[in-house]
């Protein structure tokens, strides 16, 4: 009998810890999203980024004929999702999104420079800039030469 009771206690304890861990782990780390200024901040950032790339003679031609409003909305959603915000990215995967554009490495670098200018312009603190760059940098191989 005591053995049964101990086993029951054990099961109860395990269940309680599972519930506690589940609650604590269920919330994504949205600190970067918050550092970027949440919904409004990300929206402003993407606006500045697209202004910058459209004015950048090194890469502007790649964006000719694209639907700017749609691109804006999809990139906002992607940054939100990648930084812990309350969004799900529903756009194309990175290879498909850049397929046929044949983007070179120096063009990717130009885009990143424009992103840094945009982050400076909207006042993103340097540590948060670095965190966002660390998320986007590994996407290079899926963007170039597609
Ligand atoms: C890590 C860096 C990059 C990210 C996160 C990114 C993200 C995106 C996203 C989310 C889309 C839209 C996907 C969709 O329509 O569902 C897109 C499309 C596009 N991207 Fe990028 N991009 C990156 C780098 C670049 C670079 C380096 C260039 C050019 C220099 C570029 C040029 C374009 C263009 C022109 C489109 C529109 C394609 C079309 O509508 O036909 N992207 N990108």
């Amino acid at each position: 009998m005591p053995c049964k009771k101990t086993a029951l206690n054990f099961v109860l304890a395990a269940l309680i810890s599972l519930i506690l861990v589940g609650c604590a782990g269920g919330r994504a780390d949205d600190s970067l999203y918050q550092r970027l200024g949440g919904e409004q901040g990300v929206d402003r950032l993407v606006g500045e980024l697209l202004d910058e790339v459209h004015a950048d003679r090194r890469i502007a031609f790649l964006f000719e004929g694209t639907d700017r409003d749609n691109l804006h909305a999809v990139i906002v959603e992607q940054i939100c999702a990648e930084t812990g915000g309350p969004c799900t990215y529903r756009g194309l995967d990175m290879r498909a999104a850049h397929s046929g554009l044949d983007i070179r490495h120096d063009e990717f670098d130009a885009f990143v420079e424009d992103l840094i200018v945009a982050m400076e312009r909207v006042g993103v603190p340097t540590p948060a800039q670095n965190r966002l760059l660390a998320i986007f940098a590994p996407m290079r191989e899926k963007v170039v030469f597609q």
Side-chain angles (χ1 to χ4, degrees):
M1 248 338 164
C3 193
K4 245 190 185 172
K5 206 171 169 190
T6 314
L8 191 67
N9 280 342
F10 179 79
V11 170
L12 271 179
L15 268 179
I16 289 167
S17 6
L18 267 180
I19 289 165
L20 289 177
V21 168
C23 291
R27 199 182 311 159
D29 172 14
D30 70 347
S31 61
L32 180 54
Y33 183 64
Q34 296 308 335
R35 297 305 286 166
L36 296 176
E39 192 180 343
Q40 273 189 5
V42 172
D43 190 61
R44 272 188 65 209
L45 171 60
V46 175
E48 292 290 345
L49 169 65
L50 291 182
D51 281 352
E52 211 49 46
V53 297
H54 277 281
D56 185 339
R57 283 209 230 127
R58 298 170 295 177
I59 55 174
F61 68 96
L62 290 162
F63 293 84
E64 270 170 22
T66 59
D67 177 344
R68 180 175 165 149
D69 288 345
N70 178 63
L71 190 57
H72 182 118
V74 187
I75 296 180
V76 164
E77 192 174 82
Q78 186 186 33
I79 293 178
C80 171
E82 291 282 346
T83 58
C87 311
T88 304
Y89 176 63
R90 287 165 301 179
L92 298 171
D93 75 61
M94 285 297 94
R95 283 189 203 282
H98 302 93
S99 143
L101 293 174
D102 213 14
I103 295 166
R104 300 190 314 246
H105 282 285
D106 60 314
E107 291 167 340
F108 186 93
D109 295 339
F111 181 90
V112 172
E113 279 174 37
D114 292 342
L115 175 59
I116 295 169
V117 169
M119 289 193 290
E120 282 291 325
R121 202 164 285 155
V122 299
V124 174
T126 308
Q129 290 190 21
N130 290 336
R131 284 174 68 191
L132 188 62
L133 291 171
I135 290 172
F136 285 118
M139 294 182 191
R140 176 189 289 265
E141 59 165 303
K142 292 183 180 156
V143 170
V144 296
F145 299 129
Q146 298 303 315

